[in-house]
Amino acid sequence: MRATPAHRGSRGFSIIELMVAMLIGLIGIIIIFQVFEVSEGIKRTSTSGGDAQQNGAIALYAMERDLRSAGSGFNDTPSVGCTILGYDSSRTTNNFTLTLAPVLVTSAGPGGPDSVSVFYASKPLVGDATPLNAPAAVGSTSVQVSSAYGYGPGDLVILNYPAQVPAVNCQLRELSNVAGIVLIHRDAGQTYLSVSGTTRTVRFNQPGGLTVAYGGAGTSARVIDLGNLYEPVGNPTVPVYNTYAIVNNALTVTSPFVVAGGAPVVNTIADNIVQLRVAYGLDDGVNNGSVSIGAGYTACDGIVDRFVDAATFNAIAALPVCPTALQTKWQLLIAMRVAVVARSALAEKPTGINGTNCDATTDGTEGVSVPDQRPTWTGGIIDVSASGDPSATSLLNWKCYRYKVFETTVPLRNWIWRSS
């Protein structure tokens, strides 16, 4: 009986055929991963760009909203510029100071981010300072005013004596009672009854009463009502003194009136905000090239003539000649220019020009014909070199990220409409 011959089709693949198939598969896998890598890079860039857009818009909106209210409630020019002596029994360090100004810019020096404090009162019934009707001696826990309309227990007030500034500082006091035209401010730790009938404990009054004396009728001594700590219940008219600053690549805000654990609470507004630039807009007739206007540069005509940084503003000594006599440089302030720099949340891979560092953002030093892509605003280039990974061995420096600048100019309407 003959054996049945084996069919040629049942032998299987040869080693050469298997190797060719594996090679084709490997090539396909490489192509797939290359496409995936490019796709993920595009997705990462798009997502990070969207996050930066959102964070920058939120940061600028928060600051602009406060700036539009700056100076409300104390826009009486002679009162501005003094140092407010404050006391808070809930703080670890009880004594603190504020500046009575609508906007105060503090610079961290060349390359560092600015910080800006915005101050305005929230009291709806008192729109200007109230003159004192009788002298107030050192140690006093009450002052007599010409009218106590709008004042009530729990109000935070500033006692100010413009004729004595800067020899005499302003003082922050918390009202514990109003008796006729007498505003009573008991020492910290004592209790009082709020308008809504709740027992409160005095928090902002330094023990021992006033530390300086204030003049009476016919003098420039006055009281500024900032708002109430507790009333109306559920929506108190707490005064606003918000300080915006960059902390750990995030925009934060603090208020001296919101304290926890013995220190003001630091709230984060937006992440990946790496720079903040703020400039004062002055109507002083000086042309420094920061503003282009066609009608010439005239002081006190209601038009911004130049924008200056904090150092330049603080150094102003001579005041221009205006139709109305100027008493302080703060009368020249009519607008603020603000720029925030948002950074992409994710770093680009370090596969740049030299094969080591990123080139998502270049500064022109990487090679011939490489553009300078650093973020800029009206005031020039903004330094973001401190916004990368601080690790000495990390390749994810500031050039690994993309940046977007959000800039605006805000007129200080409450300050422009000041009473003097």
Side-chain angles (χ1 to χ4, degrees):
M1 182 174 178
R2 278 190 322 174
T4 304
H7 296 287
R8 294 180 61 86
S10 63
R11 293 180 181 178
F13 293 105
S14 67
I15 186 67
I16 296 177
E17 291 172 324
L18 285 173
M19 291 179 66
V20 170
M22 290 177 63
L23 178 61
I24 294 174
L26 288 173
I27 293 174
I29 291 173
I30 292 173
I31 294 174
I32 291 172
F33 273 98
Q34 286 181 333
V35 173
F36 178 75
E37 180 183 16
V38 173
S39 175
E40 280 298 303
I42 295 173
K43 177 184 176 182
R44 180 171 57 249
T45 300
S46 299
T47 302
S48 296
D51 291 340
Q53 184 85 15
Q54 178 176 324
N55 290 334
I58 292 173
L60 192 63
Y61 169 76
M63 297 180 64
E64 182 179 0
R65 179 190 58 189
D66 269 351
L67 285 169
R68 291 188 181 278
S69 298
S72 176
F74 59 86
N75 52 353
D76 189 3
T77 306
S79 302
V80 176
C82 70
T83 298
I84 305 172
L85 303 179
Y87 176 91
D88 187 352
S89 60
S90 65
R91 290 191 181 209
T92 303
T93 302
N94 299 131
N95 296 310
F96 65 96
T97 61
L98 305 173
T99 299
L100 184 60
V103 183
L104 184 68
V105 181
T106 304
S107 176
D114 294 331
S115 63
V116 56
S117 298
V118 185
F119 192 15
Y120 56 92
S122 301
K123 190 70 173 181
L125 299 178
V126 183
D128 209 344
T130 305
L132 265 66
N133 204 33
V138 174
S140 174
T141 56
S142 66
V143 293
Q144 182 176 312
V145 291
S146 58
S147 172
Y149 173 76
Y151 291 90
D155 283 3
L156 282 181
V157 301
I158 295 174
L159 298 176
N160 177 238
Y161 202 172
Q164 300 297 320
V165 172
V168 174
N169 289 313
C170 304
Q171 293 188 73
L172 181 70
R173 303 295 287 184
E174 176 184 347
L175 298 186
S176 55
N177 195 13
V178 177
I181 57 174
V182 177
L183 309 180
I184 301 172
H185 44 91
R186 299 190 183 97
D187 289 348
Q190 298 189 35
T191 60
Y192 64 93
L193 203 61
S194 69
V195 175
S196 60
T198 303
T199 300
R200 307 288 184 183
T201 302
V202 177
R203 169 184 162 190
F204 284 97
N205 295 343
Q206 183 174 352
L210 299 179
T211 58
V212 296
Y214 291 86
T219 69
S220 60
R222 61 195 67 199
V223 179
I224 302 170
D225 196 340
L226 299 178
N228 198 286
L229 294 168
Y230 313 107
E231 305 292 339
V233 176
N235 187 29
T237 58
V238 180
V240 175
Y241 195 105
N242 285 338
T243 298
Y244 295 90
I246 303 295
V247 179
N248 296 327
N249 291 336
L251 180 66
T252 64
V253 62
T254 60
S255 170
F257 309 121
V258 182
V259 174
V265 176
V266 180
N267 291 312
T268 299
I269 295 178
D271 293 322
N272 293 303
I273 303 297
V274 297
Q275 266 288 9
L276 172 62
R277 283 286 182 265
V278 187
Y280 293 102
L282 305 180
D283 178 16
D284 61 355
V286 179
N287 176 16
N288 67 350
S290 60
V291 175
S292 297
I293 55 179
Y297 298 84
T298 305
C300 305
D301 63 350
I303 299 175
V304 176
D305 297 310
R306 62 168 175 159
F307 285 93
V308 300
D309 58 16
T312 303
F313 181 77
N314 293 336
I316 293 177
L319 300 177
V321 177
C322 293
T324 301
L326 300 180
Q327 299 164 305
T328 170
K329 63 186 176 184
W330 292 99
Q331 289 173 279
L332 303 173
L333 179 63
I334 61 175
M336 299 297 295
R337 178 174 284 170
V338 181
V340 295
V341 181
R343 188 189 72 178
S344 57
L346 299 175
E348 302 291 334
K349 295 184 64 177
T351 56
I353 293 172
N354 59 11
T356 303
N357 295 326
C358 291
D359 63 346
T361 300
T362 59
D363 62 0
T365 64
E366 294 80 3
V368 179
S369 302
V370 177
D372 189 341
Q373 299 174 328
R374 288 177 292 177
T376 62
W377 72 312
T378 308
I381 294 175
I382 302 178
D383 183 14
V384 292
S385 60
S387 67
D389 189 334
S391 172
T393 60
S394 175
L395 298 177
L396 298 180
N397 62 17
W398 66 271
K399 296 180 181 180
C400 299
Y401 298 87
R402 301 182 186 276
Y403 304 87
K404 186 171 181 59
V405 180
F406 296 81
E407 180 180 346
T408 189
T409 299
V410 183
L412 302 180
R413 57 187 179 186
N414 290 296
W415 200 240
I416 295 171
W417 297 337
R418 59 182 173 268
S419 59
S420 60

